[in-house]
Amino acid sequence: MTSAHTAYREADVRGATAVRLVVLLYEQAIQDLRQAARAMEENNIELRTNRINHALEVIGRLQGTLDMKRGGQVARNLEGFYETLRANLWKAQLHMSKEMLLRQITDLFTLRAAWAEVDRAESAGTVPKLVPPKAAAFNAGADEHVSISWKA
């Protein structure tokens, strides 16, 4: 039996543009990490591990879509973001850190918002030219927090 949410999601994916699919992948990763954070609260190791692993798979798909030739600096920044995100998820899993997971969710929300803006502009026929961020902030340390800002 298919839930209404699953049916809606499947319909959304079938008619989606490439940019919309990216937005949906970000939403899936965020949902996975929210569920993992809840599982940490409940000490549900199996669910936590499954959701973090699924988020890592989603990030791998996003990373696999990067076109380094055509994407230029934006693609390189996203590659760095995804690598840092993956490392932080492994650390969150290892240290059972809900706070670390929540920081990764915040980072994903930021990029999801940028992609959603591109999706809206694409739908309206006014696709903005993305200017690569001046600098992606990759702070050294055990818990890296990534910040990428896109300007249209």
Side-chain angles (χ1 to χ4, degrees):
M1 179 171 196
T2 303
S3 72
H5 177 74
T6 302
Y8 172 78
R9 202 116 159 126
E10 288 173 1
D12 198 15
V13 168
R14 275 194 294 274
T17 65
V19 173
R20 180 70 185 141
L21 289 173
V22 169
V23 172
L24 292 172
L25 286 171
Y26 274 91
E27 289 173 357
Q28 182 62 56
I30 291 165
Q31 179 183 342
D32 288 339
L33 295 182
R34 283 179 166 167
Q35 290 173 351
R38 256 192 317 277
M40 278 184 182
E41 288 174 353
E42 298 166 0
N43 200 27
N44 186 334
I45 297 166
E46 183 178 1
L47 180 60
R48 179 194 76 211
T49 301
N50 288 341
R51 293 298 80 205
I52 290 174
N53 285 344
H54 190 261
L56 288 166
E57 288 177 30
V58 170
I59 294 159
R61 287 190 181 267
L62 286 165
Q63 210 166 1
T65 66
L66 294 176
D67 183 339
M68 299 311 240
K69 276 187 176 179
R70 291 180 28 196
Q73 188 62 44
V74 171
R76 286 188 291 280
N77 287 345
L78 285 169
E79 176 76 16
F81 172 78
Y82 295 143
E83 287 299 320
T84 302
L85 180 62
R86 291 166 70 90
N88 286 340
L89 292 180
W90 284 112
K91 290 175 192 173
Q93 174 76 313
L94 178 67
H95 299 292
M96 293 182 288
S97 173
K98 179 182 173 189
E99 293 75 23
M100 191 179 288
L101 279 183
L102 295 177
R103 284 191 293 274
Q104 305 320 301
I105 291 169
T106 299
D107 290 343
L108 284 166
F109 262 121
T110 300
L111 281 176
R112 185 226 167 266
W115 281 109
E117 183 61 33
V118 173
D119 185 36
R120 280 189 293 278
E122 188 178 75
S123 295
T126 59
V127 179
K129 182 179 184 302
L130 293 179
V131 176
K134 291 182 180 167
F138 296 97
N139 301 321
D143 177 19
E144 297 181 21
H145 183 72
V146 180
S147 173
I148 297 179
S149 61
W150 291 7
K151 296 182 181 176

